[in-house]
Amino acid sequence: MEEPKYRIRALHTERTITVYQAYRPGIGLPAARDGRFPESWKRDRMTWIKPSFLWMMYRCGWGEKEGQETVLAVEITREGFEWALRNACLSHYKRGFHTDQASWKRQLRQAPARVQWDPERDLHLRPLAHRSLQLGLAGEASRRYADEWTVSITDVTPLAHEVHGLVRGGDLEAAARLLPREEPYKEPAGLLDHLRADHLRARTPEPAEA
């Protein structure tokens, strides 16, 4: 069966969903040790969370990029995750999806969260045809994420390095067996209608190019 272009795939339970971030050790190690983000973690800045382990590997270079050496698996409540999605807007303007650019800019200024759909990645970190959700949190959403939604924080840097070593050695089957089991996230009805470009495009076609 063909994978839908826009769908959340994640490691999740009935109550939680796991997302990934990468930080310098000064932030990441205390967060994993204490199970919460330290006070030095800036709660007034935009932070991006990613349900896809391989997209995180693409972003942080398997935990080898400077400032992203500590890869964290952050388990958060589904309630918080879905609150962020309901209150999010797309991070970029799309003609035929938004009413106009001015209204999209107003949404972007006011929304506590924003969404990007970037190409999912394979074990070689090559882009795939379907998309992976990236969720940016700011203001109220960022503070709630750090202080209310977080259930646990685990340092998965050793896992990142082990999978990378197997990929470099050509053992893709063994590497795949180690990946977190990311399955389609069962969305409440309408949760992503305002965030999936293909949903509204069917009702509001893009104007033809002049």
Side-chain angles (χ1 to χ4, degrees), residues 103-120:
S103 64
W104 165 76
K105 286 183 177 179
R106 285 194 298 272
Q107 290 177 19
L108 196 65
R109 287 194 300 268
Q110 297 168 1
R114 59 188 62 175
V115 160
Q116 289 182 188
W117 294 98
D118 296 312
E120 183 57 280

Side-chain angles (χ1 to χ4, degrees), residues 130-142:
H130 56 279
R131 300 287 171 143
S132 178
L133 177 88
Q134 322 302 322
L135 180 58
L137 308 174
E140 180 183 3
S142 181

Side-chain angles (χ1 to χ4, degrees), residues 76-170:
I76 64 173
T77 65
R78 289 174 67 136
E79 180 182 7
F81 180 69
E82 291 172 14
W83 181 93
L85 289 172
R86 287 191 183 95
N87 289 279
C89 70
L90 282 178
S91 64
H92 61 283
Y93 170 73
K94 194 164 189 66
R95 190 174 61 175
F97 182 89
H98 298 102
T99 305
D100 53 51
Q101 197 160 16
S103 64
W104 165 76
K105 286 183 177 179
R106 285 194 298 272
Q107 290 177 19
L108 196 65
R109 287 194 300 268
Q110 297 168 1
R114 59 188 62 175
V115 160
Q116 289 182 188
W117 294 98
D118 296 312
E120 183 57 280
R121 301 284 159 168
D122 66 11
L123 277 165
H124 290 292
L125 307 185
R126 297 173 301 204
L128 299 174
H130 56 279
R131 300 287 171 143
S132 178
L133 177 88
Q134 322 302 322
L135 180 58
L137 308 174
E140 180 183 3
S142 181
R143 292 188 295 272
R144 286 189 176 198
Y145 168 66
D147 300 323
E148 297 177 22
W149 303 341
T150 297
V151 174
S152 70
I153 302 178
T154 304
D155 183 353
V156 292
T157 312
L159 174 63
H161 292 168
E162 185 176 3
V163 174
H164 189 205
L166 290 168
V167 172
R168 285 186 298 185

